[in-house]
Amino acid sequence: MLPARLQKQRCWSSSNRERVQARAATLQDQILARTEQRTFAQPAAEDFLQHPAQVLDDRQLLRECEPSRSPLKVAVLLSGGVDSSCALHLLKKAGHHVTAFYLQIWFQEDFQNYWDQCPWEDDLDYCQKVCQAAGVDLHTVPLTDQYWDRVVSHSIAEIKAGRTPNPDILCNSRVKFGAFYEYLAEQQDGSFDRIASGHYAKIIRADDPDEPVRLALAPDPVKDQTYFLAHLSQDQLSKAMFPLGHLTKAEVRSLAQAAGLPNQARRDSQGICFLGKVKFTEFVEQHLGVWPGCIVEEESGEVVGYHRGFWFHTVGQRRGIPLNGGPWYVTRKDIHTNTVYISRDYYSVEKERNAFTCRGVNWINGPPDMAVPVWCKIRHGPTMYQCCASFINDDQTALTVKLDGNDQGLAPGQYAVFYQGELERALCALVVKEFLFYNGTGGFETVKLAGIHLASEVTHPIVALLRTAE
């Protein structure tokens, strides 16, 4: 049985919104008062501080800050972390007029967010300290309602449907560069030329301002965040700025140390942004409850155990299967019978997962040349697969994609990002949500497919994302 709060339409009155906004303002005042007396930790003796990157001159450091267009009016998304703080520092150094904004997404009145475990207070502490040192105004923007409606509720629905969502991708396109854009248009008269963040990605702009901008890989393959940004539209990308796009993480850490930033030794945040320190399984149970069901061995069809609900498992999962004699892997789920299928022979040829299809493709500037090699990322990180992408029956709204290797972590609902051309150059974004698994015998298993959205068509890399099927 689902919790009652998920069975009714959420409705916020204007008084509730005003109360949340008032609370945010009060909290920021309290943080400011405490920050005056707070002593921040000194840099830790960590590997990245003991091995500083090569020192860059100002021209190199400011390359992604559009110094030739200075001064621009720039809104900076500040999180309290090192990356966004360094982005603010570089923008000030480039001569831009900078205002910082902290997005409040950590408090929701109608669902438990484990308030005492969320690091929001430390985040605001560091944001305030960084802004004080830089002489920059800081505003707190309450977007918890939008975050719930556009990211959290969608993620819960996807998990309930048996898919594997990526809330961080949706947070970028729907909140940071979505709801926040709307806030600036309504509350700030849309007067900002750029919205900057600490993401590791590059934006390439043509001399002609009417030409579409292009998204490009960062030089740090581990930290590159084009995977998380590939859902942004052309309009969103055209207003964005990523000052750290040409830097490595080591260079950013060295910059933070050289600039004396108060959070220079703060570690990077991990996990899904809205969970804080809460375990993912705890969050799922809080919102979807428990529904015991059978665990079935794929090869024999025998019931070998029981689970607490299919939504606690994803395809390719190894940990969390309550059985001996493993290792066991989740091979598939039947959401109608609440059955989880597992196998110890997960990597056999007949279980290859190396292909998928997508239909309803929406190419904004026309489809790319499929004769040119295409590369694919299945998840954030440095791993890419070369792949063959082709139109289905000459239908330019339907694609078949086959990887040159097997990715046993492929699961319905994931996002895949495709690149074409010179990988160090510009790329575009597609979104794919449902995968078609190649059966190893020249055919494909049937699966419900989803649409693709391409942010911009260029002659170099393209990035693709997958959308939820209706």
Side-chain angles (χ1 to χ4, degrees):
M1 189 70 177
L2 294 180
R5 63 181 166 275
L6 295 181
Q7 300 179 16
K8 63 182 181 179
Q9 178 70 30
R10 300 177 62 259
C11 179
W12 275 48
S13 65
S14 58
S15 60
N16 281 336
R17 294 179 187 274
E18 292 170 358
R19 185 165 64 255
V20 171
Q21 293 174 353
R23 183 181 180 87
T26 300
L27 285 171
Q28 184 168 335
D29 290 342
Q30 294 172 350
I31 292 297
L32 176 59
R34 284 196 294 271
T35 301
E36 297 291 344
Q37 303 175 352
R38 177 166 178 153
T39 300
F40 286 82
Q42 294 300 312
E46 302 182 40
D47 287 343
F48 54 72
L49 292 179
Q50 295 183 18
H51 302 281
Q54 178 182 356
V55 177
L56 303 177
D57 60 32
D58 285 355
R59 183 182 60 82
Q60 293 171 310
L61 281 174
L62 304 179
R63 195 175 74 193
E64 298 301 317
C65 294
E66 301 184 58
S68 63
R69 292 185 170 96
S70 176
L72 295 173
K73 189 175 181 182
V74 182
V76 181
L77 290 166
L78 201 62
S79 66
V82 173
D83 295 335
S84 60
S85 299
C86 280
L88 183 148
H89 172 76
L90 291 178
L91 289 167
K92 284 282 292 182
K93 196 176 184 69
H96 296 306
H97 301 313
V98 178
T99 305
F101 294 86
Y102 175 78
L103 305 188
Q104 175 200 339
I105 61 174
W106 31 254
F107 179 72
Q108 189 75 31
E109 293 189 356
D110 57 353
F111 81 102
Q112 186 174 354
N113 194 31
Y114 296 77
W115 174 264
D116 60 329
Q117 299 186 53
C118 189
W120 60 268
E121 190 174 56
D122 283 345
D123 290 343
L124 271 179
D125 272 343
Y126 281 112
C127 286
Q128 191 65 58
K129 194 72 173 182
V130 167
C131 288
Q132 283 184 329
V136 171
D137 290 337
L138 173 66
H139 301 274
T140 298
V141 183
L143 295 178
T144 53
D145 193 23
Q146 293 89 333
Y147 192 75
W148 171 272
D149 290 336
R150 304 183 190 190
V151 178
V152 182
S153 61
H154 171 85
S155 299
I156 293 172
E158 286 288 280
I159 294 168
K160 181 185 175 185
R163 294 186 282 268
T164 304
N166 192 310
D168 292 325
I169 287 178
L170 298 179
C171 181
N172 283 324
S173 62
R174 299 183 179 185
V175 178
K176 291 180 181 178
F177 297 94
F180 180 59
Y181 278 21
E182 297 166 11
Y183 164 84
L184 292 179
E186 296 172 1
Q187 304 296 326
Q188 303 287 333
D189 299 324
S191 57
F192 286 94
D193 301 302
R194 297 284 186 267
I195 288 78
S197 70
H199 285 98
Y200 289 83
K202 292 190 291 185
I203 291 180
I204 297 178
R205 301 178 189 275
D207 293 333
D208 184 352
D210 294 328
E211 288 290 319
V213 299
R214 298 179 292 178
L215 186 63
L217 290 166
D220 190 329
V222 175
K223 293 300 293 183
D224 172 74
Q225 292 175 306
T226 53
Y227 181 86
F228 295 123
L229 295 166
H231 201 197
L232 270 62
S233 67
Q234 176 63 211
D235 182 60
Q236 290 172 321
L237 283 172
S238 67
K239 299 174 184 175
M241 181 190 290
F242 305 129
L244 308 184
H246 60 305
L247 302 175
T248 65
K249 185 65 180 186
E251 289 169 338
V252 170
R253 284 288 182 184
S254 295
L255 173 63
Q257 189 177 27
L261 297 183
N263 54 0
Q264 60 186 270
R266 195 179 191 196
R267 295 184 180 275
D268 294 341
S269 60
Q270 302 291 332
I272 299 173
C273 49
F274 64 80
L275 291 184
K277 298 180 181 179
V278 181
K279 293 181 180 179
F280 180 72
T281 54
E282 294 176 356
F283 174 81
V284 172
E285 182 174 347
Q286 177 72 21
H287 294 283
L288 294 180
V290 175
W291 184 18
C294 296
I295 298 177
V296 175
E297 185 179 28
E298 186 75 70
E299 291 79 8
S300 67
E302 295 181 359
V303 175
V304 294
Y306 299 92
H307 60 80
R308 300 171 63 243
F310 72 81
W311 41 68
F312 293 106
H313 302 278
T314 189
V315 174
Q317 176 183 337
R318 176 179 173 181
R319 294 183 179 180
I321 300 175
L323 293 175
N324 296 322
W328 295 95
Y329 297 85
V330 175
T331 58
R332 59 190 174 99
K333 301 181 292 184
D334 188 325
I335 67 173
H336 303 292
T337 62
N338 190 30
T339 304
V340 174
Y341 292 86
I342 62 173
S343 174
R344 284 176 290 200
D345 193 22
Y346 188 66
Y347 292 94
S348 60
V349 174
E350 64 270 15
K351 296 186 178 70
E352 289 182 346
R353 286 170 171 79
N354 55 8
F356 57 88
T357 69
C358 46
R359 297 184 185 275
V361 181
N362 175 33
W363 306 101
I364 292 180
N365 290 336
D369 182 2
M370 289 304 174
V372 178
V374 177
W375 295 75
C376 179
K377 277 189 182 185
I378 302 301
R379 61 191 58 81
H380 169 63
T383 302
M384 282 188 182
Y385 297 97
Q386 189 168 1
C387 59
C388 295
S390 59
F391 298 119
I392 299 174
N393 298 325
D394 295 324
D395 180 0
Q396 294 186 345
T397 66
L399 282 175
T400 296
V401 180
K402 188 174 187 301
L403 308 177
D404 69 349
N406 295 320
D407 192 301
Q408 300 302 96
L410 279 174
Q414 278 182 294
Y415 282 72
V417 177
F418 299 91
Y419 302 79
Q420 187 178 64
E422 302 173 27
L423 299 181
E424 72 275 14
R425 297 294 300 276
L427 44 99
C428 307
L430 289 162
V431 185
V432 193
K433 269 276 184 141
E434 302 292 344
F435 289 94
L436 183 64
F437 298 137
Y438 189 66
N439 62 19
T441 61
F444 295 91
E445 300 176 16
T446 302
V447 68
K448 188 176 177 183
L449 304 177
I452 292 186
H453 173 76
L454 178 63
S456 171
E457 189 269 328
V458 295
T459 58
H460 298 298
I462 56 172
V463 188
L465 303 175
L466 310 175
R467 255 185 209 162
T468 308
E470 298 297 334

